[in-house]
Amino acid sequence: MRLLSLLLIITLFSWTGYWYFSSRGLYSDIDTYIANNSTETNWSYENISVTGYPYRLDTKISSLKVSDIDRAWSITLDRFDFLSLIYKRDHHIIAIKAPVKLSSKSNKIEISEGIIKSSLKLSDDNIISDLITESSFFTFFLNDFGKLSLIKLVGALKYQETKKGYLYRGHLKFKDLSRSGEQAIENEAAQKERILVSNFTLQGDLLLKKPLPSNKLTVEIFEGIKRINVQFQIEDALIHIVGDLKISGSNSIDGKIVFSVAQWNSLLDRIERNNVFEPEKIKIIRGGLILSELSRKSSEGFVELPLLIKENKIFLGP
């Protein structure tokens, strides 16, 4: 009995020591990572704590701010939680709770409510091999659109070996993207009017010049998006987009896509009500869709518009 008790005490102290030195190692790893990337990014935070004894290493960073060295973008988090099992260090859970601020030279996004959770797996080379992100609900502010909300968001990236570049198969979906309001919604019609996009799904292959995580998260690391397949609904209109895009230089996009829409009158009526385009432009678009409907074969009620994108300019054609 004494021998068993002694073994238990030794095991307890050994495990406690292993957990303690592992937690100390996390502090060192964070400092080393920041130092190694200081030429590309600026980092600041208020406090770091590691808890979770005896089986987990739960790292919590408060008031974290990361920005590009050229100030091209910045991310500010009130709290960043990075959780992992001590015996399974290649799988992590990330939790980001609002408020969150993301800004670039041209835009700013502020997430004011909600929590975003992610499951992250790393390869032996510390490349992100699997990433799943989800949020049941969060609200955010976008410069040109005001306060918006997303319901039932799920996104995923899966790394796949390729001879050229770094390929990530991507999937994104959400139930509703809505315009938020201060006043209570009184009827179903008003509620429907606030929903901008519903039943959104996107699939595609993201080709990068550098693997994730990349120190310099700018458009230069993107090489293209292949096999794009997007479907969503705006009121009664169903929209389907397929094609390929190539990104050249810092901001030049080229490619071919096919834009298909069913119940396009409903889409244009919504655009007109929200003053997205001038009335004259809506008349031109409506006329073009009528001609396309008359001259092209429609599939299951869809009108198809083949589009050519060259140096960010969109042309109608094969």
Side-chain angles (χ1 to χ4, degrees):
M1 181 64 73
R2 289 182 179 178
L3 180 60
L4 180 59
S5 298
L6 181 62
L7 288 174
L8 287 174
I9 292 172
I10 293 173
T11 301
L12 177 63
F13 275 99
S14 298
W15 184 262
T16 301
Y18 174 64
W19 185 93
Y20 176 80
F21 284 109
S22 295
S23 65
R24 296 303 98 182
L26 266 178
Y27 287 104
S28 177
D29 290 345
I30 292 170
D31 290 338
T32 300
Y33 182 83
I34 292 175
N36 290 341
N37 294 288
S38 59
T39 58
E40 301 287 349
T41 50
N42 296 313
W43 296 73
S44 65
Y45 57 86
E46 184 179 292
N47 183 56
I48 296 179
S49 65
V50 180
T51 58
Y53 177 83
Y55 301 118
R56 301 204 317 258
L57 291 169
D58 298 349
T59 306
K60 298 178 182 179
I61 306 176
S62 60
S63 301
L64 173 65
K65 183 174 182 178
V66 186
S67 63
D68 182 69
I69 200 74
D70 301 322
R71 305 291 181 180
W73 57 266
S74 68
I75 302 172
T76 304
L77 308 177
D78 186 58
R79 199 176 96 176
F80 179 80
D81 292 354
F82 190 79
L83 319 176
S84 60
L85 292 170
I86 195 169
Y87 50 84
K88 197 174 182 181
R89 304 288 290 275
D90 62 339
H91 186 196
H92 309 280
I93 301 297
I94 299 172
I96 299 174
K97 190 176 181 181
V100 177
K101 295 181 180 179
L102 301 93
S103 62
S104 66
K105 290 180 178 178
S106 58
N107 214 330
K108 183 169 69 172
I109 301 174
E110 295 184 15
I111 301 174
S112 57
E113 182 182 358
I115 184 169
I116 302 172
K117 298 179 181 178
S118 299
S119 171
L120 172 69
K121 291 184 180 180
L122 299 175
S123 68
D124 294 336
D125 300 323
N126 281 330
I127 293 174
I128 293 177
S129 57
D130 286 279
L131 175 64
I132 299 174
T133 298
E134 63 178 1
S135 178
S136 58
F137 171 82
F138 70 88
T139 62
F140 60 100
F141 181 88
L142 197 60
N143 275 4
D144 297 332
F145 298 93
K147 192 175 181 182
L148 305 171
S149 63
L150 266 178
I151 298 175
K152 296 183 179 178
L153 170 72
V154 177
L157 284 175
K158 186 174 181 63
Y159 176 70
Q160 184 169 311
E161 293 281 350
T162 180
K163 293 181 180 178
K164 183 181 178 182
Y166 297 87
L167 180 67
Y168 285 88
R169 298 198 179 279
H171 178 83
L172 176 70
K173 69 176 182 178
F174 58 79
K175 185 177 184 295
D176 290 324
L177 171 64
S178 305
R179 184 185 293 110
S180 299
E182 299 299 328
Q183 298 178 349
I185 297 173
E186 297 179 357
N187 53 55
E188 187 177 345
Q191 185 177 10
K192 186 177 180 181
E193 186 68 21
R194 291 198 183 188
I195 298 175
L196 302 176
V197 177
S198 58
N199 302 318
F200 179 95
T201 62
L202 180 152
Q203 293 178 327
D205 294 344
L206 186 64
L207 191 61
L208 305 179
K209 297 174 185 176
K210 296 179 181 180
L212 295 175
S214 173
N215 300 335
K216 199 168 181 66
L217 291 176
T218 60
V219 72
E220 282 86 353
I221 75 166
F222 294 95
E223 196 160 305
I225 307 175
K226 303 292 185 182
R227 303 199 304 174
I228 299 169
N229 190 329
V230 182
Q231 297 182 61
F232 58 94
Q233 188 172 345
I234 298 178
E235 288 197 356
D236 296 327
L238 302 175
I239 294 96
H240 188 198
I241 302 170
V242 295
D244 299 305
L245 295 175
K246 183 180 180 182
I247 301 172
S248 306
S250 60
N251 55 11
S252 180
I253 299 176
D254 302 279
K256 292 181 179 180
I257 62 172
V258 177
F259 178 89
S260 305
V261 57
Q263 303 291 337
W264 56 265
N265 274 306
S266 175
L267 175 62
L268 287 186
D269 289 344
R270 180 63 182 269
I271 290 173
E272 191 171 15
R273 286 199 308 273
N274 287 272
N275 298 315
V276 177
F277 298 130
E278 297 173 0
E280 288 301 319
K281 288 185 178 180
I282 293 176
K283 287 181 182 179
I284 293 172
I285 296 171
R286 193 182 298 274
L289 287 168
I290 291 173
L291 288 175
S292 180
E293 192 172 38
L294 293 173
S295 61
R296 299 178 187 274
K297 259 190 179 179
S298 60
S299 173
E300 298 180 358
F302 281 84
V303 176
E304 295 183 354
L305 297 175
L307 302 174
L308 176 67
I309 302 174
K310 190 171 180 62
E311 296 179 351
N312 298 337
K313 296 178 181 179
I314 302 176
F315 303 91
L316 181 61

